[in-house]
Amino acid sequence: MISAVDLRSGNTFIQDGKLIKVLEASHHKPGKGNTVMRMKLRDVRSGATYDTTFRPDEKFEKAIIETKPVQYLYNDGTNEIFMDLESFEQYEIPHEQVADEMKYILENMELAIEFYGSEVIGVDLPTTVTLEVTETEPSIKGATVTGSGKPATLETGLVVTVPDFITTGEKIIVTTHDGEYKSRAK
């Protein structure tokens, strides 16, 4: 069992027979009244996301999640296809279930998929990924890191705000938990 106050982003628990993943969790103390935990959650099987609050002392059954190293192969139109790096077994995950994660994944990328028992439930992304900028406004001469930034479209279709000196064709490092520009790739 795990208390609501101990739930963090990325944790998975069972509520009313549903497998729920925590996307965001924060402590909230209103002016009057008791502290509550504000959460943004996703039903792993249906993909539905919702916001809710819990009392800090509410308890949930913690889901035991295992991971396996895999390589992303391709999209077959409705599913994303991954291959186990040890047994070469292939796993199909419906695109809707991993649509957000696919913004960070390229063909042949090595990562991990998550299992609840024998059921494939999702993708475990690395902390950062290196992606190429496919479209952005021209760089501004004399631009510095402290500028407000400009939108850039990456090779996966993800749009991030980058500093003004970044140009089309450059590779950049993006954090996967918030989709923010981190730095230029070396």
Side-chain angles (χ1 to χ4, degrees), residues 23 42-49 72 75-82 92-103 120-123:
L23 302 177
R42 178 172 62 210
D43 182 323
V44 172
R45 293 184 181 111
S46 74
T49 60
Y72 173 63
N75 176 308
D76 72 359
T78 55
N79 298 309
E80 304 299 341
I81 312 298
F82 297 86
E92 294 181 359
I93 304 176
H95 178 76
E96 301 80 41
Q97 193 173 330
V98 291
D100 291 339
E101 291 88 343
M102 293 311 296
K103 295 175 187 168
V120 178
I121 60 164
V123 176

Side-chain angles (χ1 to χ4, degrees), residues 67-73 81-91 108-113 115:
T67 60
K68 277 190 180 178
V70 295
Q71 180 179 35
Y72 173 63
L73 298 179
I81 312 298
F82 297 86
M83 179 182 67
D84 188 312
L85 291 173
E86 294 161 8
S87 70
F88 303 109
E89 184 179 350
Q90 290 188 5
Y91 302 102
N108 301 320
M109 183 182 274
E110 292 183 10
L111 46 126
I113 55 176
F115 288 85

Side-chain angles (χ1 to χ4, degrees), residues 24 41-42 78 82 84 94-95 102 105 107 128 130 154 172:
E24 296 172 16
L41 306 173
R42 178 172 62 210
T78 55
F82 297 86
D84 188 312
H95 178 76
M102 293 311 296
I105 300 174
E107 283 187 10
T128 61
T130 302
L154 307 181
I172 62 170

Side-chain angles (χ1 to χ4, degrees), residues 1 8 12 17 24 26 53 59 61 69 83-84 88 91 97 106 116 130 142 150 154 161 170 173 184 186:
M1 298 299 276
R8 301 285 177 259
T12 307
E24 296 172 16
S26 64
T53 59
K59 301 235 184 261
E61 181 183 344
M83 179 182 67
D84 188 312
F88 303 109
Y91 302 102
Q97 193 173 330
L106 295 170
Y116 177 65
T130 302
K150 60 185 180 180
L154 307 181
T161 301
E170 278 192 76
I173 297 173
R184 278 179 164 157
K186 306 265 187 283

